[in-house]
Amino acid sequence: MKPLVLDLDDIQGDVLEGLQKNVENFLFFKVVNKIYFKDIVRRYISGQITSARQVNDRQTTIEQRKKFGQGRSDRFQGVNLGFSKEGLTQLVATGGLKLDPAFERGADHQGTIEALNDPPRSVWLKKFIADRIDGVFLITGPDQSSVMFHSNELLRLLGASIKVVYSEIGNVRPGAERGHEHFGFLDGVSQPGIRGLTRPSKPISRPDQGLPGQDLVWPGEFVFGYSGQHPEHPTKEGPPPPMAAPWLRNGSYMVFRRLEQKVPEFRKFVAEQAARLGMDRETLAARMIGRWKSGAPLELTPLRDDPGLGGDEKRNNDFEFGDDPSQRKCPYAAHIRKAYPRDDTASEAEVQRHRIMRAGIPFGPEVAPGEMTTRHSRGLMFVCYETSIQRQFEFIQGRYANNPEFVTGKRRPSGEMVTPGFDPIIGQALGSGARQMDEPYPNDPGGSRRTTLVVPEQFVKLTAAAYFFMPSVSALRTVLTS
Ligand code: N7H
């Protein structure tokens, strides 16, 4: 068999392993002078793009330093560039190309908004929708001053060829909250492993996993030009996802969603509901997510947090849901069980065709003392990569998280059918209506208390969204800029 080789030098760095980022500036722009823009990108910017190879090498350095107790050395800068459908159309003739239908439509299309139960565009950030967005620069670095310095250099280079429509900075949270999102939960714990990149930690006993429990996925699910998942088998090689033109090779679609998190409101809701249900708050919040704040999964520690487990990448993903058939340990509707149900549907092969690579970062300040209702916008700059927005991101959001019937076919120990309810974190009901989830109170190890959590409002609110294509470095140097 031919070894699988990924062209890491040609793939942009945020796509597979994610640019190293303490701070990330998202610069959304419109192309004003196409000829000038192409010239600058070809001559100056394409050579500055941080590749997946650089990201991979930097990660090795970080891990080596950690191993030898040398502390963090993350002075790494990164630049990546993506284009919306409108942007691509400016650069290259896309007429007749069969791009992903969701990408063609765009995140702000009424059809997309309706399909995902997103809030109407009229309530999105005014500045974000003030003009056409052709592309986005992602500029990352160790701190705000270096990221701003590099952003300004880039803008000076681009001069009047573009107009910045909207920009916003994302930051990892400070101190002990580093790596945690604003509700307080460790993020970035579970990502798909990538065949040809992620090395199996137990090659003999578990050749189809990277870290224990991390299923390896064929790279074509995230980057064009490689084999994808087999439609009927969870580990076998499948065909490469269709590529509309040769220049899509080594490129990926990116979903961007600015998700505001109502943190004080979320905390208050959790405290009130926990009191109503006669349980503690930490347990209720963990049952909404499927992990404790430390990252420890409910499947492995259903009744109390275990920070040692949460932080141990060799153990914190090593579980399935199929052996928890009555949601005693983890509710069917919990965010991670909805977003990646693992072996818990009729077909694991099918589940593996709805995976995404997440690469988001929090934004906004910490909750201020005395901030009882949200006074400062904060949340998650959600970013994910895939080769089909329709089959991957939109499927997770629309058919899993927003679908109270999913996961289907479950019964209570009594035999009665279960309606799991909405994902209480990201699920969205029609017209921002109330959502329910089943079994917030744990019946573990036994018990049959029937409880329901009614979530009357969205604690995660979409305030802007866009779909992009992150081309290969070579396409940025040639087809797209000649
Ligand atoms: Fe989610 N959260 O803090 O509650 N997410 N997420 N997500 N999410 C995950 O495994 C969160 C969002 C996925 O492989 C964790 O990294 C918040 C969207 C997927 O087991 C936590 C927001 C979508 C996984 C959160 C948000 C997803 C995942 C556990 C918005 C896609 C991996 C830590 C503000 C439609 C599941 C981890 C797996 C994990 C949270 C958004 C999907 C804590 C606050 C929009 C696939």
Side-chain angles (χ1 to χ4, degrees), residues 179-192 213 255 257-261 266 285 288-293 295 316-317 319 321 335-342 354-358 363 378-384 386 392-398 401 423-427 459-462:
H180 294 239
E181 52 67 57
H182 278 289
F183 292 147
F185 291 81
L186 187 64
D187 206 353
V189 180
S190 172
Q191 292 273 37
V255 169
R257 287 165 82 79
R258 184 183 185 277
L259 297 169
E260 221 168 67
Q261 290 174 255
F266 175 80
M288 294 168 79
I289 282 144
R291 290 186 187 269
W292 299 90
K293 286 192 170 154
N316 62 17
N317 244 330
F319 63 92
F321 291 116
H335 175 55
I336 67 158
R337 194 163 180 167
K338 279 273 190 185
Y340 175 37
R342 299 182 186 226
H354 307 300
R355 305 294 306 278
I356 50 176
M357 287 304 293
R358 292 174 296 134
F363 70 89
R378 65 175 66 78
L380 184 69
M381 300 293 246
F382 175 84
V383 168
C384 74
E386 56 273 295
Q392 294 166 274
F393 164 72
E394 286 193 352
F395 198 96
I396 296 174
Q397 180 71 57
D423 175 330
I425 304 297
I426 63 160
F459 299 111
V460 170
K461 280 193 178 154
L462 181 84

Side-chain angles (χ1 to χ4, degrees), residues 6 8 11-19 21 24 26 52 55-56 59 80 138 187-199 210-211 214-224 229 251-257 317 335 339-340 351-361 380-389 391-394 396 468 470:
L6 287 168
L8 296 180
I11 300 169
Q12 294 203 53
D14 206 39
V15 176
L16 294 175
E17 294 183 285
L19 293 165
K21 51 188 90 152
E24 177 166 22
F26 293 77
V55 165
N56 191 258
Q59 206 48 40
N80 274 189
L138 308 178
D187 206 353
V189 180
S190 172
Q191 292 273 37
I194 302 156
R195 288 182 192 273
L197 183 64
T198 313
R199 250 195 307 250
L211 287 162
Q214 182 191 35
D215 291 341
L216 294 181
V217 173
W218 290 88
E221 297 298 311
F222 310 110
V223 191
F224 283 105
Q229 284 297 116
S252 182
Y253 289 114
M254 175 222 203
V255 169
F256 166 75
R257 287 165 82 79
N317 244 330
H335 175 55
Y340 175 37
V351 169
Q352 296 297 5
R353 284 168 51 83
H354 307 300
R355 305 294 306 278
I356 50 176
M357 287 304 293
R358 292 174 296 134
I361 189 166
L380 184 69
M381 300 293 246
F382 175 84
V383 168
C384 74
Y385 295 97
E386 56 273 295
T387 47
S388 167
I389 295 176
R391 174 166 58 79
Q392 294 166 274
F393 164 72
E394 286 193 352
I396 296 174
F468 297 97
M470 306 297 280

Side-chain angles (χ1 to χ4, degrees), residues 4-18 49-60 80 194-198 219 223-224 226 249-251 471-474:
L4 176 59
V5 180
L6 287 168
D7 190 352
L8 296 180
D9 293 304
D10 202 33
I11 300 169
Q12 294 203 53
D14 206 39
V15 176
L16 294 175
E17 294 183 285
I49 297 290
T50 314
S51 68
R53 169 90 56 210
Q54 284 167 293
V55 165
N56 191 258
D57 289 348
R58 291 170 177 185
Q59 206 48 40
T60 309
N80 274 189
I194 302 156
R195 288 182 192 273
L197 183 64
T198 313
V223 191
F224 283 105
Y226 303 90
R249 180 180 304 280
N250 291 324
S472 65
V473 178
S474 56

